[in-house]
Amino acid sequence: MQSIDKILSKVQKPTRYTGGEVNSVVKENAESLIRFAFCFPDTYEIGMSHLGMKILYSMLNSRDDVWCERVFTPWVDMQEQMREHGIALFGLESRQPITNFDFLGFTLQYEMSYTNILNMLDLANIPALASERGDDAPIICVGGPCAYNCEPLADFIDFAMMGEGEEVLNEVVDVYKAWKEGGKKGGKIKYLEDIAEIEGVYVPMFYSVSYNADGTVESIRTNNSHAKEKVRKRIINNLDDTFILKNIVVPFGEIVHDRVMLELFRGCIRGCRFCQAGYIYRPVRQHSRECLSDAVDSLLNCSGYDEISLSSLSTSDYTELEQLTNILLEKTEKEKISLSLPSLRIDNFSLELMQKVQKVRKSGITFAPEAGTQRLRDVINKNVTEENLMKSVSMVFGGGWTNVKLYFMIGLPTETHDDVAGIADLANKVLDQYYKTPAEQRAKNINITVSTSSFVPKPFTPFQWAPQDNMESLMEKQALLRSLITNRKITYNWHASKTSYLEGVFARGDRRLGKVLMAAYKNGCRFDGWDEHFKFDAWEKAFEQSGIDPNFYNMRERSYDEILPWDHIDIGVTKKFLMSENEKAIHEQTTPNCREKCSGCGASCFGGGVCFE
Amino acid sequence: MSSYCLKYEKGDEVRYISHLDFLRCINRAIKRSALPVSYSQGFNPHTIMTVALPASVGTTSGAELMKVSFDEELTADIVRDKLNANLPKGLHIIKAVKDDDNTIKFSKINMCDFIVKAETETEIDIDVDAFLSLNEIVINKRTKSGEKQEDIKAAIYALEVVERDGLTYTFKMRLAAGSVYNLKSATVIAAMEKYIEGFKVSFMQEHRLALMCDGKELM
């Protein structure tokens, strides 16, 4: 155990680094166990709020032969102290350096966390390049949504796991155990060859990528007979039959989502064309209400939390929502526990439900029309009409809510200034609904917040071929909105476009970006998702140093016959389907949701979920 | 309603939790223990509890005090054992006493005992008695209206070296505490740095031994 006492008194929020929280797992006989560092490349407060980490931490620790520990990116003050005192990055449970662990597993939730991965490897004294790590160095693996195109990290990682981790993670650990017990015969390559045959495992070094003169990919070929031509993601067909989360670590300090999270289902039936999650998690599969009712009891009892939040991409699409919320309300009323219901579509049922669970505070409610005109909403397949929205907000105002947030994206494909102006128009119409609400029903005051973020085209979506809107154009659109939103009851917030620009480069990047990442890290980039640490000029310099033009990755329209850097990854949804969705988008045609009508996306190949309901 | 006064330890493991962290932590422990804790009335009901002079971040303690109320009659043993079964490592109830009539009054606390470990930058012999026999021990105190000079001599009831190991001094202190006047051990160390030439502390840790009224522990 490293003594960190002397540095803890010098840093902010020291409980980020102490471990010892209720339900954190400490095991005996550490030497005989497979040591797994579950690394979240952001702060404790963000990482500890991530449901996937809670599931896999608990699942790995349910094995007698594995000890999984949590590792987050130390905040800059702690990094400074650690470097000054020669303290290596450690697991929170054992406080031992992770330098000699068996596995480091990074979860890739957003592109802007990539420099933190290099930073964490550096703090752990582990060489960043996979080629420089010997057989005794930890195996570095990744998972999570950005792993589907982890090409920019190809130089650094040993392997990636595509899709849901409950099964595949156990399988790669089993193979590791046998390999380690056999004296690591054949070296790391042998281990990687063995797991390359497991469905869902991608070993970047077993694939050679060649490029055309114009910089596009010429071919992606396997260079090792154990590697699959196409790596298909893994999913759990029956969610009730897999590992169910029943125990969670309870932090001392406040974290972002400081409550019990109850996962209703995975995937989304809606098919919004900008949304990567809507495609990569297909098909929709849900937990039964009985399973959730059991799970929530253990989660509340083990944690002592007094709040439950339902978690999914669209709460209203849970088919047993009414029955489930009745079960939950019975518990919450008895035990002074509050229930929060994110991602609800507003209708009579949900409004009544919200009034039941939020008896006192009527704070904010958020709507996400995503685009300002019906034309553009059809392009992105966001099947919400102005009439829907007006009906919903008038219900909300009638219920006495005072804060309404409207969330939009700018820079969507085919967007014109009329579409942008439509955002302001829609906000004004929402305000009109407030004034139309009888004064005795509505709240005394009203605040409407309009937020825009800048659209980033993502791989595995119908817009994966589309150019990203450039920064000048985005800023123009923000300025236009600022000039159109004049009413003082409407506040306009927008996100910096530079972060989105960079996100766009890495989202659809290839493995040539590895050197940019390394150069950016060396230029001092870290915590790029945090405005106060984001150094755009250091990134620009990194692209220059590496001789790479970032615009090649995000400003260019790709043709359908171009080989995309992620074409060897198979998410079930076919490229053909994504193309037809893109064509429909251009022609402003919508696609029905999975429960209305199957559109033949390809996800039925997994043999489960909504495709077979 | 039944009320209990609890004496508890705050160990090394939870040295860095803040008072707010502690309140969250004890509330969750109560929730896990399913003890019938009393809630305040109002829009945002909260559990009814009081902590006496909460230890600051970084301080360990063997004698913290708090009060908590329950809707039902319980026994002190049940309260202690159920909470102990649900507290994280480092927090431990040593003793629970039924205190329905509020006979243990936190407002009477006027002094605390501390053990302070201080690591000096260089090896140095110090004379604590000489320090204590100074006519005045004046420190600069930062207040809202700027710096102020203050004589803390009268607030140091006792100060002795209990152990010395190379660079590390272990002091025992009895200092004024509570609502009338509160003296921190770090302030005493700072004063020693000011008056004892060559005495420079690079790292210190504080452990609270007792919360007292006129030299007698409250419970």
Side-chain angles (χ1 to χ4, degrees):
Chain A
M1 198 187 213
Q2 301 183 102
S3 173
I4 54 170
D5 263 348
K6 284 188 184 171
I7 64 175
L8 284 180
S9 53
K10 294 178 185 161
V11 299
Q12 290 173 30
K13 303 187 184 172
T15 51
R16 287 167 164 173
Y17 314 108
T18 55
E21 307 95 323
V22 167
N23 299 330
S24 62
V25 179
V26 174
K27 295 196 175 186
E28 308 277 311
N29 302 323
E31 314 76 47
S32 64
L33 300 172
I34 292 172
R35 305 290 295 275
F36 195 107
F38 197 111
C39 303
F40 195 105
D42 211 315
T43 61
Y44 178 91
E45 292 77 11
I46 292 176
M48 281 296 288
S49 303
H50 182 240
L51 184 57
M53 181 177 201
K54 294 176 203 278
I55 295 173
L56 297 176
Y57 174 83
S58 182
M59 184 195 82
L60 283 171
N61 279 324
S62 71
R63 293 175 61 134
D64 291 336
D65 52 354
V66 179
W67 186 7
C68 176
E69 300 188 41
R70 295 159 299 145
V71 185
F72 305 95
T73 315
W75 191 241
V76 287
D77 58 348
M78 182 65 172
Q79 290 186 23
E80 207 177 286
Q81 293 293 331
M82 288 168 72
R83 290 197 161 103
E84 194 185 315
H85 290 84
I87 290 167
L89 190 61
F90 52 90
L92 290 187
E93 282 73 3
S94 68
R95 281 199 200 171
Q96 286 171 337
I98 57 172
T99 317
N100 301 309
F101 271 37
D102 295 289
F103 284 98
L104 265 54
F106 286 91
T107 175
L108 308 181
Q109 296 297 317
Y110 25 85
E111 292 82 1
M112 302 313 286
S113 66
Y114 289 174
T115 54
N116 276 358
I117 297 177
L118 300 187
N119 196 353
M120 287 167 83
L121 291 175
D122 193 9
L123 281 167
N125 304 316
I126 296 169
L129 290 171
S131 58
E132 288 177 8
R133 290 193 299 268
D135 296 342
D136 288 324
I139 300 283
I140 311 246
C141 56
V142 297
C146 293
Y148 287 106
N149 179 31
C150 56
E151 290 303 292
L153 294 170
D155 294 346
F156 312 113
I157 64 175
D158 293 309
F159 71 93
M161 285 162 282
M162 304 298 171
E164 291 159 15
E166 282 98 338
E167 291 169 354
V168 67
L169 195 51
N170 276 321
E171 292 162 21
V172 298
V173 167
D174 287 340
V175 175
Y176 180 88
K177 195 180 169 192
W179 174 68
K180 192 184 181 187
E181 281 168 359
K184 297 193 176 181
K185 231 179 281 161
K188 186 164 91 175
I189 291 291
K190 174 72 173 67
Y191 170 65
L192 294 176
E193 284 177 344
D194 285 351
I195 59 168
E197 297 189 353
I198 297 173
E199 180 117 275
V201 173
Y202 170 55
V203 181
M205 70 161 82
F206 292 164
Y207 297 78
S208 301
V209 183
S210 62
Y211 302 93
N212 295 308
D214 64 0
T216 55
V217 174
E218 184 198 44
S219 71
I220 303 166
R221 289 203 182 87
T222 58
N223 59 31
N224 186 303
S225 60
H226 297 270
K228 295 177 191 303
E229 292 292 323
K230 282 233 167 200
V231 178
R232 176 174 282 185
K233 78 168 181 204
R234 293 286 291 271
I235 64 157
I236 308 295
N237 261 332
N238 187 342
L239 290 185
D240 284 0
D241 274 353
T242 188
F243 179 83
I244 304 289
L245 182 65
K246 299 218 159 156
N247 190 290
I248 47 174
V249 177
V250 189
F252 288 114
E254 256 178 314
I255 59 170
V256 181
H257 296 295
D258 215 358
R259 54 190 76 98
V260 164
M261 277 182 273
L262 201 58
E263 185 185 31
L264 304 182
F265 59 91
R266 294 181 187 173
C268 180
I269 58 170
R270 299 276 147 188
C272 299
R273 293 182 178 127
F274 55 84
C275 176
Q276 191 192 39
Y279 294 94
I280 58 178
Y281 297 130
R282 284 186 184 207
V284 166
R285 293 141 291 137
Q286 67 181 31
H287 278 291
S288 69
R289 62 174 188 270
E290 293 82 11
C291 174
L292 293 172
S293 172
D294 282 355
V296 81
D297 285 341
S298 352
L299 290 168
L300 288 171
N301 291 340
C302 82
S303 67
Y305 270 127
D306 56 8
E307 189 178 347
I308 308 167
S309 168
L310 303 184
S311 167
S312 72
L313 290 166
S314 169
T315 306
S316 301
D317 290 329
Y318 182 65
T319 57
E320 306 176 70
L321 187 62
E322 188 166 2
Q323 296 94 317
L324 176 70
T325 47
N326 284 340
I327 296 172
L328 293 178
L329 280 170
E330 215 174 286
K331 300 181 204 288
T332 54
E333 275 164 16
K334 219 167 44 200
E335 311 269 344
K336 287 201 171 54
I337 286 163
S338 65
L339 176 63
S340 59
L341 304 155
S343 307
L344 266 189
R345 263 195 319 282
I346 301 299
D347 51 28
N348 283 322
F349 162 69
S350 61
L351 203 72
E352 205 180 295
L353 183 62
M354 277 191 298
Q355 279 168 334
K356 258 192 256 171
V357 300
Q358 302 176 327
K359 280 191 193 103
V360 234
R361 265 174 297 175
K362 279 187 181 157
S363 47
I365 194 159
T366 303
F367 293 92
E370 313 285 2
T373 59
Q374 195 57 48
R375 187 201 71 79
L376 193 53
R377 284 194 294 274
D378 288 345
V379 168
I380 61 176
N381 203 42
K382 180 85 190 181
N383 291 325
V384 169
T385 62
E386 190 174 307
E387 201 193 327
N388 293 152
L389 179 67
M390 292 310 144
K391 217 173 136 195
S392 301
V393 292
S394 75
M395 282 162 79
V396 164
F397 291 140
W401 266 270
T402 56
N403 280 303
V404 168
K405 277 191 203 163
L406 301 170
Y407 175 85
F408 298 90
M409 274 186 282
I410 53 170
L412 287 163
T414 77
E415 182 182 55
T416 64
H417 279 205
D418 288 346
D419 296 313
V420 178
I423 294 175
D425 201 37
L426 207 56
N428 283 321
K429 285 180 182 160
V430 169
L431 185 59
D432 289 344
Q433 288 298 320
Y434 169 76
Y435 288 117
K436 279 185 202 159
T437 310
E440 61 276 13
Q441 285 174 27
R442 71 187 192 209
K444 282 201 186 70
N445 215 337
I446 180 69
N447 183 26
I448 296 170
T449 307
V450 172
S451 296
T452 61
S453 61
S454 311
F455 170 63
V456 178
K458 295 275 166 136
F460 302 106
T461 67
F463 295 148
Q464 64 178 350
W465 293 279
Q468 187 175 353
D469 206 359
N470 65 58
M471 288 189 277
E472 292 72 37
S473 160
L474 289 168
M475 280 190 273
E476 235 175 74
K477 288 170 184 173
Q478 288 164 353
L480 174 66
L481 265 181
R482 277 204 306 278
S483 73
L484 292 174
I485 296 177
T486 47
N487 195 305
R488 285 172 60 192
K489 300 216 177 284
I490 307 176
T491 321
Y492 175 44
N493 295 327
W494 62 94
H495 290 277
S497 50
K498 282 177 176 170
T499 314
S500 310
Y501 174 84
L502 207 59
E503 193 184 316
V505 173
F506 280 89
R508 291 185 292 170
D510 58 36
R511 36 179 85 178
R512 289 172 296 188
L513 288 177
K515 58 184 173 185
V516 179
L517 205 55
M518 184 47 100
Y521 174 60
K522 286 185 175 154
N523 293 346
C525 295
R526 53 189 171 170
F527 283 113
D528 297 299
W530 295 73
D531 280 346
E532 68 262 49
H533 290 294
F534 183 57
K535 300 185 185 95
F536 192 63
D537 45 344
W539 274 103
E540 284 180 313
K541 199 173 135 202
F543 281 106
E544 224 169 87
Q545 288 164 330
S546 316
I548 282 178
D549 174 17
N551 291 340
F552 171 79
Y553 293 98
N554 59 356
M555 290 299 149
R556 179 171 69 85
E557 169 136 30
R558 290 156 169 82
S559 75
Y560 286 144
D561 49 22
E562 181 176 333
I563 295 174
L564 302 172
W566 52 91
D567 269 354
H568 52 310
I569 307 301
D570 174 11
I571 62 159
V573 177
T574 61
K575 201 173 175 183
K576 211 176 118 220
F577 176 75
L578 295 177
M579 282 177 199
S580 79
E581 279 296 292
N582 190 38
E583 287 303 313
K584 285 171 88 176
I586 293 162
H587 295 102
E588 299 166 12
Q589 291 164 0
T590 59
T591 297
N593 76 51
C594 297
R595 288 209 175 92
E596 260 174 77
K597 182 176 174 289
C598 174
S599 302
C601 72
S604 65
C605 66
F606 295 104
V610 67
C611 313
F612 298 90
E613 264 172 20
Chain B
M1 195 151 98
S2 62
S3 291
Y4 292 84
C5 191
L6 311 175
K7 183 177 181 179
Y8 63 95
E9 273 173 5
K10 184 186 172 202
D12 238 352
E13 298 89 338
V14 290
R15 175 188 283 273
Y16 291 100
I17 70 171
S18 68
H19 179 51
L20 271 178
D21 293 341
F22 170 76
L23 289 179
R24 254 194 304 274
C25 186
I26 190 88
N27 272 305
R28 287 172 185 162
I30 290 170
K31 202 110 196 165
R32 288 191 293 270
S33 71
L35 285 168
V37 70
S38 301
Y39 285 90
S40 66
Q41 302 296 310
F43 282 122
N44 281 310
H46 53 87
T47 49
I48 298 175
M49 58 173 68
T50 328
V51 179
L53 299 186
S56 42
V57 174
T59 300
T60 56
S61 174
E64 296 300 283
L65 296 176
M66 68 172 290
K67 284 185 190 182
V68 59
S69 300
F70 300 99
D71 287 342
E72 293 166 24
E73 285 298 317
L74 301 160
T75 69
D77 286 356
I78 286 179
V79 172
R80 184 195 61 208
D81 295 346
K82 284 215 167 181
L83 281 177
N84 277 340
N86 285 287
L87 282 168
K89 269 203 179 124
L91 286 174
H92 180 78
I93 315 283
I94 307 161
K95 203 157 114 185
V97 173
K98 200 161 192 316
D99 187 41
D100 290 343
D101 313 323
N102 195 26
T103 42
I104 301 170
K105 287 197 168 58
F106 291 168
S107 58
K108 286 166 106 181
I109 294 170
N110 58 12
M111 55 183 71
C112 286
D113 279 358
F114 294 99
I115 291 284
V116 178
K117 275 193 182 195
E119 209 175 286
T120 54
E121 284 176 6
T122 49
E123 214 161 302
I124 173 178
D125 294 323
I126 60 168
D127 185 349
V128 170
D129 292 334
F131 171 72
L132 285 174
S133 53
L134 290 163
N135 285 331
E136 51 171 28
I137 300 174
V138 178
I139 51 129
N140 287 326
K141 198 174 176 185
R142 239 173 272 137
T143 62
K144 276 178 209 150
S145 50
E147 289 230 330
K148 205 175 76 179
Q149 300 248 304
E150 204 168 281
D151 186 353
I152 58 166
K153 188 177 172 184
I156 306 174
Y157 300 128
L159 169 64
E160 57 176 316
V161 175
V162 287
E163 201 189 315
R164 176 168 174 209
D165 180 11
L167 293 172
T168 309
Y169 273 95
T170 305
F171 299 102
K172 192 173 173 185
M173 303 182 188
R174 176 167 294 181
L175 306 176
S179 50
V180 179
Y181 192 82
N182 202 65
L183 181 60
K184 289 179 178 168
S185 68
T187 311
V188 177
I189 295 289
M192 288 166 76
E193 287 182 314
K194 177 181 167 189
Y195 285 99
I196 303 171
E197 217 190 302
F199 181 72
K200 272 255 156 257
V201 172
S202 55
F203 178 66
M204 66 166 278
Q205 279 189 329
E206 171 190 76
H207 176 80
R208 186 144 72 175
L209 288 174
L211 291 143
M212 292 177 297
C213 171
D214 299 332
K216 198 170 161 286
E217 267 198 89
L218 255 69
M219 74 173 267

